[in-house]
Amino acid sequence: MKPVVFLLSILLMASAASAEPFVVIVRHAEKANNDPKDPDLSPAGRARADSLARILKDSQIAAVFVSEFKRTQETAAPSAREGIVSPTIISAKDTASLVAKLRGLDGNALVVGHGDTIPELIKALGIQTPVNIRDDDYAEIFVVILGTQPQLLRLHYP
């Protein structure tokens, strides 16, 4: 986990120097098999959510956005508690509203989304490089530095 924290620290310094806010985007953590429509997180997913909170604890997250599904809300919960931020629920398919809210922020944000919604969100934020997320991949952190020329940093976490 230390390389991820180190890289994120460098990103924070670069973002602070340029005064550009950034958006951290992750897929929800591993889900349990308790409900086919809206499952909770599995034990591995809860551990991943806790790991994410530790990684982001000094990121000055001012807003947290999740979908209407429990798995995104449970993934974001430790990070939101750490930053004392109440998550905002936006429909998983309402990318336009989410982008408008992200562009209107004064600070950094965390978005917990889904494997099929994150690529569209990243594109809507101005990143031209296509993003694909495998069905079994829960370990990616996408950091989009907003501004006139948005930039993407792609990391992995345990």
Side-chain angles (χ1 to χ4, degrees):
M1 177 167 52
K2 289 185 181 191
V4 172
V5 173
F6 176 72
L7 286 173
L8 202 51
S9 296
I10 290 172
L11 171 70
L12 291 172
M13 288 185 286
S15 179
S18 70
E20 297 290 352
F22 62 86
V23 180
V24 177
I25 304 167
V26 298
R27 180 182 183 195
H28 62 78
E30 293 88 339
K31 54 190 174 183
N33 293 325
N34 63 330
D35 181 342
K37 292 184 181 179
D38 193 15
D40 291 301
L41 291 184
S42 68
R46 287 192 298 276
R48 184 177 302 280
D50 290 339
S51 178
L52 179 64
R54 284 190 300 278
I55 290 168
L56 296 179
K57 77 177 187 140
D58 295 323
S59 299
Q60 300 172 347
I61 298 296
V64 176
F65 297 94
V66 296
S67 76
E68 65 274 24
F69 297 100
K70 288 190 292 189
R71 57 192 177 270
T72 63
Q73 296 168 29
E74 291 175 5
T75 301
S79 296
R81 277 192 304 272
E82 183 74 36
I84 312 171
V85 177
S86 295
T88 300
I89 298 172
I90 296 182
S91 173
K93 300 296 182 183
D94 193 359
T95 302
S97 291
L98 178 54
V99 168
K101 289 190 181 297
L102 291 170
R103 293 210 182 274
L105 285 177
D106 237 358
N108 305 323
L110 168 64
V111 175
V112 181
H114 302 270
D116 62 342
T117 62
I118 290 172
E120 181 181 344
L121 171 61
I122 290 172
K123 183 177 180 181
L125 289 172
I127 301 299
Q128 299 305 312
T129 305
V131 169
N132 294 308
I133 303 171
R134 293 188 335 259
D135 286 343
D136 65 343
D137 188 358
Y138 299 93
E140 296 210 55
I141 298 176
F142 301 94
V143 182
V144 177
I145 301 173
L146 302 174
T148 54
Q149 297 227 322
Q151 297 176 11
L152 174 66
L153 177 64
R154 195 168 180 170
L155 305 166
H156 292 270
Y157 73 115

